[in-house]
Amino acid sequence: MDNNRISTFKVAATYIGTVVGAGFASGQEMLQFFAVFGLKGLWGLLVVTALFMVFGYIIMGIGRSLGAESHLQIIKHSGGRFLGTLTDWLITFFLFGALTAMIAGSGALVKQQFGINPLWGNIFMAAFTALTVLTGIKGVINSISAVVPFLITSAVGISLASIILVTPQSRSYELVAATVPTSANGLISNWLWAAILYVSYNMVLAISVLGPLGVQAKNESALRNGAILGGIGLGGSAIAIYFAMERNIEIVRNMEIPMIYLAGSLSYVLQIIYALVLIGEIYTTAVGSLYGFSARITDINENKAKFYIIGATLLALAASQLGFSNMVKYLYPIVGYGGVVLLVSLAVASFKPKKKVLNAKK
């Protein structure tokens, strides 16, 4: 039986791939949430690393105990009727919003880097994402975990190379922290709150995959170690990108995709390669978001689910014309505020006895 379950590595890789997306690998998230706070942003990322380990384990553990098929069983268990309902709507809304943002991001990327009509990038990402989700949870896990090692290696490699080889364009940590606004959009007041919001909205997005992922884990040890390894992988990668952003903040602070600029500073070939990496990053988050959204609105194992999957993808494709950067700048922090309720509920629920939630979709 255990031979059909997933290992520690796949647990960690799927966790990382669900969180890592266009905002992460483009440098936008590290820029807007952490680099703007100078050295204090680094402390925020250390907090983020710890919180990712803790809440990843909590979510997968609750999901495993409840036999969760979607985020709803976990939400009902942790939040009760009132908070559970509000959080459910928040998560479902953000899953669709994240899917839309990823499709929009693919269009923006192919236009900027390759000069292709963004609509073609939108259509390609939407179609490839839908085809993957139609294969079911095993297909989602396999596709995300297979792509993640290359994505993380590329993002960290470009960041470290830019730190070593690209001449810094920003001033000292103290000067940067003193002269750059507290956040790019006024929704984040300090580095600690930025860290909490960052984990919060990522958990809102990841819970839809992490819950069922806990059920698929080989054993409790694979689940626990996968959460720890996933948290370290996420935190370490974020810190590498943060340093690259902070050192060049005077140049990259107004760029749509700052990591593409840094890759281009090293080599045009690396710039092209990293553009392809970003497409992979977008894909992993889009797949997780579409699966989670579809699993919430229908029984993902029934034949009718394919119509919901295709329908949701087409709606997201239409909504993606609103643009990518605005979603990272405004949608993510706003959802993060609501997601704080989720974090508190999950922390409390980790101490509650767990029993399977029946008729969760009703």
Side-chain angles (χ1 to χ4, degrees):
M1 180 70 176
D2 278 355
N3 290 333
N4 295 321
R5 298 292 180 173
I6 64 175
S7 64
T8 294
F9 173 79
K10 277 197 173 182
V11 170
T14 305
Y15 184 9
I16 293 170
T18 304
V19 172
V20 170
F24 184 99
S26 69
Q28 275 289 341
E29 290 179 357
M30 295 308 105
L31 178 63
Q32 294 191 32
F33 280 79
F34 302 104
V36 293
F37 295 109
L39 184 58
K40 291 180 180 179
L42 177 59
W43 296 115
L45 284 171
L46 294 177
V47 172
V48 163
T49 303
L51 291 178
F52 270 141
M53 289 190 283
V54 170
F55 283 101
Y57 178 64
I58 287 175
I59 292 172
M60 288 188 285
I62 294 175
R64 185 178 181 85
S65 298
L66 299 178
E69 295 179 359
S70 76
H71 67 260
L72 187 57
Q73 289 101 321
I74 300 172
I75 294 306
K76 281 194 170 184
H77 171 78
S78 60
R81 182 180 297 274
F82 179 70
L83 286 180
T85 299
L86 289 179
T87 309
D88 175 37
W89 279 105
L90 173 72
I91 292 172
T92 305
F93 166 74
F94 189 45
L95 287 170
F96 182 79
L99 172 63
T100 301
M102 295 304 103
I103 294 175
S106 64
L109 179 58
V110 299
K111 179 183 179 182
Q112 176 176 320
Q113 189 60 40
F114 303 109
I116 300 173
N117 187 318
L119 184 59
W120 290 112
N122 298 149
I123 293 172
F124 169 80
M125 185 56 61
F128 201 29
T129 298
L131 287 172
T132 302
V133 174
L134 286 169
T135 65
I137 183 63
K138 286 293 180 65
V140 170
I141 292 171
N142 289 334
S143 64
I144 293 176
S145 61
V147 173
V148 162
F150 179 69
L151 302 183
I152 293 298
T153 301
S154 301
V156 173
I158 293 293
S159 298
L160 294 178
S162 70
I163 292 169
I164 296 169
L165 301 175
V166 177
T167 302
Q169 299 297 322
S170 68
R171 293 155 288 177
S172 69
Y173 283 115
E174 290 76 18
L175 287 175
V176 169
T179 57
V180 177
T182 54
S183 82
N185 55 32
L187 294 173
I188 308 167
S189 58
N190 59 68
W191 65 270
L192 181 58
W193 189 233
I196 293 171
L197 289 181
Y198 182 70
V199 173
S200 173
Y201 81 72
N202 273 298
M203 289 298 99
V204 167
L205 178 62
I207 190 174
S208 60
V209 172
L210 292 184
L213 180 62
V215 178
Q216 298 294 324
K218 182 177 292 187
N219 50 45
E220 182 70 20
S221 177
L223 187 153
R224 181 188 64 251
N225 294 337
I228 294 171
L229 185 60
I232 292 172
L234 286 166
S237 302
I239 288 170
I241 295 174
Y242 154 82
F243 275 120
M245 294 297 99
E246 204 283 334
R247 281 168 58 87
N248 297 278
I249 196 167
E250 296 299 329
I251 287 182
V252 302
R253 60 189 297 181
N254 293 317
M255 289 184 175
E256 183 85 2
I257 308 177
M259 284 293 289
I260 286 288
Y261 163 78
L262 294 180
S265 298
L266 296 166
S267 162
Y268 178 71
V269 173
L270 285 178
Q271 188 177 46
I272 298 298
I273 292 173
Y274 199 73
L276 297 176
V277 168
L278 268 174
I279 292 175
E281 303 273 14
I282 292 169
Y283 166 71
T284 61
T285 300
V287 166
S289 300
L290 178 58
Y291 178 84
F293 181 78
S294 302
R296 172 59 189 93
I297 63 175
T298 188
D299 187 336
I300 202 72
N301 297 312
E302 293 185 357
N303 288 331
K304 67 177 182 179
K306 62 185 177 182
F307 298 107
Y308 287 91
I309 292 169
I310 294 171
T313 304
L314 291 174
L315 285 175
L317 177 60
S320 69
Q321 306 311 304
L322 294 174
F324 167 63
S325 59
N326 284 332
M327 292 188 176
V328 173
K329 189 173 184 179
Y330 298 109
L331 175 64
Y332 286 19
I334 289 172
V335 172
Y337 274 86
V340 171
V341 177
L342 172 64
L343 296 187
V344 174
S345 299
L346 288 169
V348 173
S350 65
F351 297 100
K352 292 168 57 176
K354 304 169 185 66
K355 55 184 180 180
K356 203 162 187 174
V357 178
L358 301 176
N359 302 319
K361 294 188 186 299
K362 293 184 179 179

